[in-house]
Amino acid sequence: MPELPEVETIKQDLEKKILHKKIEQTKVRDVKIVKNNKNFFQKEIKNNFFTEIDRVGKILIFKLGKRDQSMLVHLKMTGQLIFECKNNFIAGGHSLDNSSFSAGVGGDLPNKYTRVIFYFSTQARLFFNDLRRFGYVKLVSNQELEEIKKDFGIDPMKSDFTFKNFVQALKGTRVEIKKVLMDQKRIAGIGNIYADESLFLSAIAPYKKTDKLKKRELEELYQNIPKILKKAIKYRGTTFSNYTDGEGKKGNFSNFLKIYGRKQGEKCNRCAGTIKKTKIGGRTTTYCDKCQK
DNA sequence: AAGATTGTTGCTTA
DNA sequence: TTAAGCAACAATCT
């Protein structure tokens, strides 16, 4: 679930909490998650501190104070980063149902999905939780980081997202527009949710081929992508959950979703059409074939 | 109870 | 060279 707005929300939360705090210890509870040798990882982090948090696509980059290294975190489908003070619970986390989140609120961390723990000198802790264990934590040198950054396209929330660059990113493709929107090498940070939302708002069919898009449509899409992402960040991302707990931080953008998560056959909320589902690029795609052309 | 689920990689085939 | 299509990763929920 974490796409650009969710990852960005976590980044902003953690920036306020963990920068320049001494990390006394790290516990790796699941070696699959940490892509380095466990002892090496723990040794490198010990007595170190984070100086800055950056984001490339859906990857968080924690710059380390000592040596030229960064710690990368990818949350994939079900990863969470939850920061917890002694009595205070501050989180940047997202999960499918809110159960582990609520568990955190109740002071139940670490739980069975906690894979890595960072202990700060202020008695605060940062938990990396991941139900499905697709996510990862990885220490990389600055040189490796530069290589990784090259694999990512323009970021809709950064200054390189100009109309010219957007058109350039689509250039040479003749595939469904949705695929291109989710292609991290071309445009970084968009996943299934925001691809569907952007296309709905732009009234463009997700299966429309990129070379068939008119200039007007490209402009519309170009405007709408940052618009939606900004709003999603404002509302702290999208969390799927039927219940609000009021204490912990949960994304509220689900209340603003126009198309994602709607069921086949339901009424479109913009026109008289009905909601359709299909697969594009192997992912469930929700759209209205009456007002998205 | 089979099929679905937010992301990415890497393999096979065209 | 390119891309399309899948299985795999793993654990849950419907």
Side-chain angles (χ1 to χ4, degrees):
Chain A
M1 178 202 315
E3 298 179 29
L4 189 154
E6 290 75 30
V7 176
E8 183 65 28
T9 300
I10 293 169
K11 170 183 178 279
Q12 291 175 11
D13 283 351
L14 295 181
E15 273 173 347
K16 294 180 203 142
K17 299 294 165 189
I18 65 171
L19 294 187
H20 300 103
K21 279 188 180 151
K22 186 177 165 189
I23 308 159
E24 296 197 325
Q25 200 195 139
T26 304
K27 192 176 282 177
V28 177
R29 304 169 105 216
D30 183 343
V31 292
K32 180 185 185 287
I33 300 297
V34 176
K35 299 301 176 190
N36 309 87
N37 171 282
K38 179 178 164 180
N39 290 331
F40 170 79
F41 180 81
Q42 294 185 154
K43 201 178 96 216
E44 291 296 316
I45 302 281
K46 194 181 169 84
N47 294 329
N48 213 328
F49 54 95
F50 299 124
T51 58
E52 193 185 330
I53 310 176
D54 202 352
R55 178 185 59 74
V56 175
K58 301 166 192 169
I59 298 177
L60 282 169
I61 302 166
F62 296 81
K63 294 246 155 86
L64 281 157
K66 298 183 182 175
R67 289 179 286 279
D68 289 339
Q69 277 183 325
S70 294
M71 183 182 80
L72 308 189
V73 176
H74 200 309
L75 300 168
K76 293 284 179 86
M77 311 272 241
T78 53
Q80 305 175 310
L81 277 173
I82 300 177
F83 181 77
E84 196 182 57
C85 293
K86 249 189 276 178
N87 302 311
N88 210 4
F89 178 77
I90 316 289
H94 298 268
S95 71
L96 191 58
D97 55 17
N98 243 12
S99 59
S100 46
F101 194 88
S102 319
V105 174
D108 269 331
L109 289 170
N111 61 32
K112 66 190 271 206
Y113 305 123
T114 302
R115 313 296 177 185
V116 185
I117 309 173
F118 301 87
Y119 297 88
F120 292 88
S121 57
T122 50
Q123 301 210 24
R125 295 172 295 177
L126 178 65
F127 299 92
F128 178 96
N129 300 333
D130 189 2
L131 186 148
R132 286 171 70 176
R133 303 167 75 212
F134 284 2
Y136 65 79
V137 178
K138 185 183 184 182
L139 277 179
V140 297
S141 67
N142 285 353
Q143 197 185 342
E144 287 173 286
L145 178 58
E146 290 313 307
E147 289 303 310
I148 290 167
K149 281 183 176 176
K150 283 182 192 163
D151 293 336
F152 288 87
I154 51 174
D155 189 305
M157 288 289 94
K158 294 183 183 168
S159 58
D160 60 351
F161 195 72
T162 59
F163 184 64
K164 197 178 157 194
N165 286 345
F166 178 66
V167 172
Q168 184 65 35
L170 269 57
K171 210 167 185 177
T173 61
R174 273 183 235 179
V175 296
E176 295 92 332
I177 179 63
K178 176 167 175 178
K179 272 193 193 171
V180 179
L181 293 184
M182 294 200 301
D183 183 346
Q184 303 301 305
K185 291 186 200 70
R186 296 180 183 276
I187 300 165
I190 298 176
N192 210 17
I193 298 171
Y194 299 102
D196 279 6
E197 291 296 317
S198 303
L199 289 164
F200 179 78
L201 189 59
S202 309
I204 298 168
Y207 48 78
K208 190 156 188 173
K209 299 284 171 69
T210 43
D211 57 329
K212 299 278 186 259
L213 288 168
K214 300 192 174 67
K215 178 142 190 256
R216 227 203 72 250
E217 294 176 311
L218 288 171
E219 283 170 349
E220 186 78 4
L221 195 51
Y222 169 73
Q223 299 287 341
N224 285 333
I225 290 168
K227 200 164 150 184
I228 287 179
L229 297 178
K230 253 181 224 159
K231 192 173 173 189
I233 292 169
K234 182 179 169 191
Y235 288 97
R236 311 188 58 73
T238 302
T239 307
F240 296 121
S241 148
N242 0 354
Y243 111 115
T244 324
D245 99 357
E247 293 266 356
K249 291 185 182 177
K250 188 182 82 146
N252 300 304
F253 193 68
S254 31
N255 302 321
F256 299 91
L257 294 175
K258 298 280 190 283
I259 192 79
Y260 183 85
R262 299 209 62 199
K263 295 200 180 81
Q264 175 131 12
E266 285 181 350
K267 277 257 152 53
C268 172
N269 59 21
R270 181 169 53 197
C271 75
T274 52
I275 303 299
K276 303 282 187 302
K277 294 240 189 219
T278 185
K279 290 253 182 200
I280 294 175
R283 318 213 74 86
T284 299
T285 299
T286 312
Y287 68 104
C288 170
D289 65 350
K290 181 144 190 191
C291 60
Q292 289 179 262
K293 294 290 181 192

